[in-house]
């Protein structure tokens, strides 16, 4: 499910795709039918909840509320069109059911987007109806006996398989394909397109027609004639005939930053506005098209390689921006090689997209931050699936050997430990989830248990009411962190120095609380799992301070020519 139209078309409502991605890390290859059923179910419950709550907030009919939702969506990527289309088909059933005063769980079970398999528990987000579940469901089924929705939900899950939709699907697909710069998503090329793993993920290519011009390379002939390293510094000073790159950057020890991360590194984020009826407006979805083409990650805002001004109001800059501030010769030299769902065990499948030429390029700082997926599992019993210290050791050593044969000499690699995720449950379980705020009926405890029941939780291991399980998970995470620490202290490599830092969420939380913040603000509200933008910025800040204090050589020197670079080259061509 990587290309945008696939995500769009595979879901009954454009909207479901938010949850699709929430629950489907790009590198999970064991996607069973149970899981995709779970995603369809949760998507249905989410959309029906939003429709119901919009009607409540605006005291309107369900019909009006559905139209309102569609009207909020942007035209781009045919989102609005698809929405009206979908409402036209499935709307009548949803209206009938909501009129009968049943909740979203019942609606979705009735329409068979949610199914209770024999012998499996009943998965529900809202409190169970007062009458028995069976009776409520039977009544609801009477209301929509022969509905097109049922025909659809029974037929599988590709909306385009409906005969009367096939044609329009085709048109939408080709229009989307034509309107987007479709590049190979996993290509290791730098790109001038911001999304689809373009410059939001790594420094913008400054000359698409020249393969040998890219961020991070050592300048070719001091960039006398062109900007071979894309840092915006090139040409010759007419006063003395000395190339600017030589004048300003020689001996300044330029270096790039590369992040090997998971969805936290990628800054996975679903804006709460998208599902909170009381806050929903025309403005809520303007960023949806961009988000869709970025797999719902927001690398341009992330803690390690983000370059846009933060939207969180926190002043701290990303590690990349700090590195650039320290030495303007580092401009654009960042790569964010992160994947949703990545772990120590899956990194080998995409590490090849790291792009560094050992002979031609500047050294790099590589941050290895696989912070959750080695212990975060979604099975009913997650423990057997967790990475063992032995397995971690062997994969990390493989990764490091790969890096040793690809990084220019003088690089630095920093291994991040795993956090103790018990803060998730401790700080969220009794708070209301965005879907539960209006009627005070869904806490994160309910939300987590719904995800676990459907086996789509991004981290059953910590997002669980089972204290034994949470404790076991934290113990394993600590063992894995210790393994990383041992590797860092005992192993030597030819082309880089190796360091270890703790992922100390407790520290961050205390710092945040001292400045008047609340712990829950550090967690993404919609998924109740990922670090929020504030948390990522605070982490970046801690990281920077720690490294500056303990290993200043990693960050390099302050470039005394920074002011002159600004004078001559302004913003160096932006990002
Ligand atoms: C909601 O709308 C109905 C019918 O339009 C009206 O009778 C009722 O007073 C309204 N309620 C509120 C709280 O505005
Ligand atoms: C891009 O690269 C080509 C080929 O090396 C070169 O001729 C051209 O001048 C470069 N353009 C810029 C803007 O540097
Ligand atoms: C890294 O890139 C991913 C996308 O590849 C992005 O989602 C994430 O926010 C980025 N992380 C950092 C720390 O820049
Ligand atoms: C790598 O760089 C270090 C200094 O950073 C130097 O001592 C060492 O000789 C270099 N190794 C090679 C193979 O060039
Ligand atoms: C809690 O988790 C532990 C460890 O996975 C498991 O053995 C136990 O059965 C779970 N308890 C309940 C009530 O599910």
């Amino acid at each position: 499910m990587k290309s945008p139209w696939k995500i769009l078309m595979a879901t009954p409502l454009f909207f479901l795709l938010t949850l699709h991605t929430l629950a489907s890390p790009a590198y999970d290859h064991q996607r069973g039918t149970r899981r995709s059923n779970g995603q369809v179910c949760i998507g249905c419950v989410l959309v029906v909840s939003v429709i119901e709550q919009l009607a409540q907030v605006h005291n309107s009919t369900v019909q009006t509320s559905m139209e309102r939702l569609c009207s909020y969506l942007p035209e781009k990527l045919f989102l609005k069109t698809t929405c009206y289309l979908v409402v036209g088909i499935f709307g009548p059933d949803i209206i009938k059911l909501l009129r009968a005063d049943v909740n979203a769980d019942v609606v979705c079970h009735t329409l068979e987007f949610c199914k209770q398999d024999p012998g499996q528990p009943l998965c529900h987000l809202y409190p169970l109806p007062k009458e028995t579940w069976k009776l409520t469901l039977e009544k609801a089924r009477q209301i929509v006996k022969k509905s097109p929705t049922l025909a659809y939900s029974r037929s599988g899950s590709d909306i385009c398989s409906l005969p009367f939709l096939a044609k329009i699907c085709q048109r939408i697909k080709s229009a989307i394909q034509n309107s987007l710069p479709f590049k190979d998503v996993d290509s290791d090329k730098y790109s001038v397109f911001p999304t689809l793993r373009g410059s939001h993920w790594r420094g913008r290519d400054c000359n698409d027609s020249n393969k040998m011009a890219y961020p991070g390379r050592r300048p070719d002939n001091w960039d006398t004639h062109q900007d071979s390293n894309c840092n915006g510094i090139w040409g010759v000073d007419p006063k003395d005939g000395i190339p600017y790159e030589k004048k300003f950057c020689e001996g300044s020890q330029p270096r790039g930053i590369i992040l090997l991360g998971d969805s936290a590194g990628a800054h996975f984020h679903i804006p709460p506005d998208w599902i909170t009826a009381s806050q929903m407006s025309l403005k809520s979805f303007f960023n949806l098209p961009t988000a869709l083409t970025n797999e719902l990650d927001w690398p341009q805002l992330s803690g390690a390689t983000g370059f846009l001004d933060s939207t969180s109001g926190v002043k701290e800059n990303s590690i990349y921006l700090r590195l650039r501030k320290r030495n303007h010769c580092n401009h654009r030299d960042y790569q964010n090689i992160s994947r949703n769902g990545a772990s120590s065990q899956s990194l080998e499948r995409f590490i090849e997209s790291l792009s560094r030429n050992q002979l031609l390029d500047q050294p790099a700082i590589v941050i290895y931050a696989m912070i959750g997926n080695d212990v975060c599992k979604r099975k009913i019993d997650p423990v057997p699936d967790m990475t063992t210290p032995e397995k971690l050791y062997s994969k990390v050593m493989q990764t490091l050997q790969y890096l040793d044969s690809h990084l220019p000499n003088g690089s630095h690699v920093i291994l991040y430990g795993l956090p103790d995720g018990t803060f998730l449950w401790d700080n969220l379980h009794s708070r209301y989830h965005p879907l539960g705020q209006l009627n005070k009926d869904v806490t994160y405890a309910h939300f987590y248990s719904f995800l676990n029941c459907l086996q789509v939780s991004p981290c059953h291991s910590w997002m669980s009411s089972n204290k034994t399980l949470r404790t076991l998970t934290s113990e394993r995470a600590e063992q894995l962190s210790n393994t990383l620490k041992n590797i860092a202290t005992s192993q030597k490599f030819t082309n880089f120095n190796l360091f270890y830092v703790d992922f100390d969420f407790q520290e961050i939380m205390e710092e945040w609380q001292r400045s008047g913040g609340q712990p829950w603000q550090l967690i993404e509200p919609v998924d109740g799992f990922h670090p929020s933008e504030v948390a990522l910025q605070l982490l970046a800040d801690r990281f920077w301070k720690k490294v500056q204090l303990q290993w200043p050589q990693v960050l390099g020197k302050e470039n005394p020519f920074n002011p002159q670079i600004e004078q001559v080259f302004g913003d160096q061509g932006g990002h």
Side-chain angles (χ1 to χ4, degrees):
M1 285 290 169
K2 251 190 276 160
S3 55
W5 63 261
K6 253 202 231 154
I7 304 178
L8 273 175
M9 294 305 144
T11 48
L13 288 163
F14 57 89
F15 219 103
L16 306 204
L17 68 93
T18 51
L19 270 295
H20 245 269
T21 315
L22 167 73
S24 64
Y27 278 85
D28 189 323
H29 290 292
Q30 288 151 350
R31 203 176 287 162
T33 49
R34 191 174 165 83
R35 272 196 63 206
S36 66
N37 287 347
Q39 289 161 18
V40 171
C41 174
I42 194 174
C44 175
V45 170
L46 181 114
V47 176
V48 173
S49 301
V50 168
I51 292 170
E52 194 182 8
Q53 294 184 13
L54 271 176
Q56 190 185 338
V57 167
H58 297 277
N59 190 25
S60 68
T61 62
V62 174
Q63 174 73 33
T64 312
S65 142
M66 289 192 288
E67 282 164 9
R68 186 187 299 274
L69 178 58
C70 292
S71 76
Y72 290 158
L73 290 171
E75 306 275 0
K76 243 187 174 167
L77 296 184
F78 290 87
L79 288 168
K80 200 193 282 277
T81 314
T82 313
C83 182
Y84 282 117
L85 202 72
V86 165
V87 163
I89 302 163
F90 304 134
D93 286 336
I94 297 177
I95 292 171
K96 277 187 232 154
L97 287 167
L98 287 180
R99 247 196 229 137
D101 217 19
V102 297
N103 69 22
D105 288 319
V106 180
V107 172
C108 294
H109 275 89
T110 308
L111 297 178
E112 298 184 17
F113 288 114
C114 298
K115 297 182 182 107
Q116 182 183 10
D117 294 331
Q120 295 295 324
L122 170 70
C123 304
H124 60 99
L125 181 63
Y126 295 91
L128 286 172
K130 288 204 185 69
E131 293 179 72
T132 65
W133 174 259
K134 215 172 141 205
L135 201 66
T136 311
L137 199 58
E138 255 160 36
K139 275 190 191 163
R141 279 185 179 141
Q142 289 304 317
I143 300 175
V144 289
K145 252 191 201 147
K146 279 192 198 143
S147 79
T149 316
L150 269 177
Y152 160 72
S153 61
R154 281 175 188 160
S155 75
S157 59
D158 186 357
I159 193 172
C160 295
S161 65
L162 291 175
F164 51 98
L165 274 187
K167 215 171 191 173
I168 184 139
C169 277
Q170 207 48 49
R171 287 200 359 228
I172 293 177
K173 277 181 200 175
S174 65
I176 290 175
Q177 268 171 330
N178 293 335
S179 71
L180 284 173
F182 258 76
K183 299 210 117 184
D184 181 5
V185 173
D186 288 319
S187 123
D188 68 350
K189 301 269 169 43
Y190 291 82
S191 159
V192 294
F193 299 113
T195 55
L196 292 169
R197 296 194 176 266
S199 76
H200 282 171
W201 300 78
R202 58 175 84 210
R204 188 159 61 90
D205 202 338
C206 54
N207 187 344
D208 240 11
S209 62
N210 184 352
K211 270 206 162 94
M212 295 310 290
Y214 54 85
R217 64 162 292 165
R218 290 203 300 270
D220 176 27
N221 191 22
W222 292 116
D223 283 5
T224 306
H225 300 297
Q226 58 165 314
D227 188 9
S228 68
N229 56 10
C230 301
N231 67 1
I233 301 169
W234 64 289
V236 175
D237 187 343
K239 284 195 231 104
D240 49 19
I242 302 175
Y244 284 116
E245 181 85 37
K246 184 172 167 66
K247 205 174 208 178
F248 295 152
C249 299
E250 186 176 28
S252 76
Q253 304 176 345
R255 62 201 63 205
I257 175 130
I258 300 175
L259 178 77
L260 301 174
D262 51 28
S263 54
H267 188 24
F268 183 93
H269 170 61
I270 298 177
D273 269 19
W274 292 359
I275 65 161
T276 314
S278 59
Q279 291 164 18
M280 210 175 269
S281 72
L282 265 177
K283 280 184 294 191
S284 303
F285 294 100
F286 78 96
N287 47 13
L288 180 61
T290 312
L292 291 182
T293 46
N294 265 344
E295 301 164 34
L296 290 177
D297 292 329
W298 308 71
Q300 65 279 25
L301 296 173
S302 72
T305 62
F307 59 84
L308 297 184
D309 280 342
S310 150
T311 54
S312 65
V314 177
K315 282 198 306 292
E316 322 302 346
N317 280 331
S318 73
I319 296 167
Y320 160 67
L321 282 177
R322 289 162 201 251
L323 213 53
R324 180 195 180 277
K325 188 171 165 213
R326 197 174 182 84
N327 180 358
H328 288 0
C329 299
N330 296 332
H331 181 69
R332 285 209 192 116
D333 192 359
Y334 63 92
Q335 295 180 42
N336 174 2
I337 315 291
S338 301
R339 291 289 192 277
N340 291 338
S343 72
S344 67
Q345 309 298 299
S346 71
L347 178 57
E348 64 187 330
R349 296 195 209 115
F350 64 88
I351 195 167
E352 277 111 34
S353 66
L354 181 153
S355 162
R356 210 73 181 173
N357 186 307
Q358 218 160 10
L359 299 174
L360 294 180
D361 297 352
Q362 306 282 10
I365 304 170
V366 177
I367 302 177
Y368 174 98
M370 298 293 163
I371 62 170
N373 296 310
D374 284 292
V375 292
C376 282
K377 303 292 167 191
R378 58 177 59 83
K379 294 241 180 83
I380 292 290
D381 183 6
V383 180
D385 274 7
M386 292 181 192
T387 305
T388 60
E390 294 72 31
K391 271 195 183 153
L392 183 80
Y393 181 90
S394 100
K395 285 288 180 190
V396 170
M397 286 305 290
Q398 263 179 37
T399 300
L400 293 173
Q401 275 143 16
Y402 180 90
L403 291 174
D404 205 25
S405 62
H406 286 79
L407 292 178
N409 187 26
S411 292
H412 302 276
V413 175
I414 297 165
L415 303 176
Y416 244 115
L418 283 74
D420 176 355
T422 47
F423 63 84
L424 294 172
W425 177 265
D426 294 347
N427 289 296
L428 289 186
H429 75 276
S430 59
R431 294 187 55 81
Y432 291 112
H433 184 267
L435 284 178
Q437 277 162 14
L438 186 62
N439 298 314
K440 311 226 169 308
D441 51 1
V442 179
T443 62
Y444 281 94
H446 295 124
F447 178 68
Y448 287 171
S449 121
F450 185 49
L451 296 183
N452 290 336
C453 179
L454 295 169
Q455 299 188 32
V456 297
S457 171
C459 193
H460 181 169
S461 332
W462 271 317
M463 297 156 73
S464 161
S465 59
N466 183 335
K467 184 155 199 238
T468 315
L469 177 57
R470 298 197 308 267
T471 307
L472 272 175
T473 309
S474 294
E475 281 168 14
R476 178 62 63 86
E478 193 180 347
Q479 289 168 0
L480 297 184
S481 295
N482 285 334
T483 305
L484 292 170
K485 198 190 272 180
N486 287 340
I487 292 176
T489 48
S490 66
Q491 302 292 328
K492 292 271 170 284
F493 295 86
T494 313
N495 290 315
F496 59 82
N497 295 310
L498 186 60
F499 306 94
Y500 168 87
V501 291
D502 276 322
F503 191 117
D504 200 337
F505 212 86
Q506 198 60 35
E507 250 177 31
I508 306 261
M509 205 147 71
E510 283 161 16
E511 186 186 329
W512 181 239
Q513 282 173 300
R514 274 196 301 276
S515 66
Q518 297 290 328
W520 55 266
Q521 293 165 322
L522 299 174
I523 306 163
E524 277 292 314
V526 174
D527 61 45
F529 172 58
H530 290 96
S532 66
E533 192 180 335
V534 186
L536 290 175
Q537 302 284 354
L538 291 173
L539 277 165
D541 184 52
R542 269 225 105 65
F543 175 88
W544 185 266
K545 287 182 178 145
K546 246 182 211 174
V547 174
Q548 197 169 20
L549 194 67
Q550 296 177 42
W551 317 297
Q553 72 275 21
V554 171
L555 305 177
K557 296 181 294 193
E558 188 100 28
N559 186 345
F561 293 104
N562 285 339
Q564 277 103 312
I565 296 175
E566 278 168 41
Q567 216 173 21
V568 180
F569 296 102
D571 72 353
Q572 296 169 260
H575 281 96

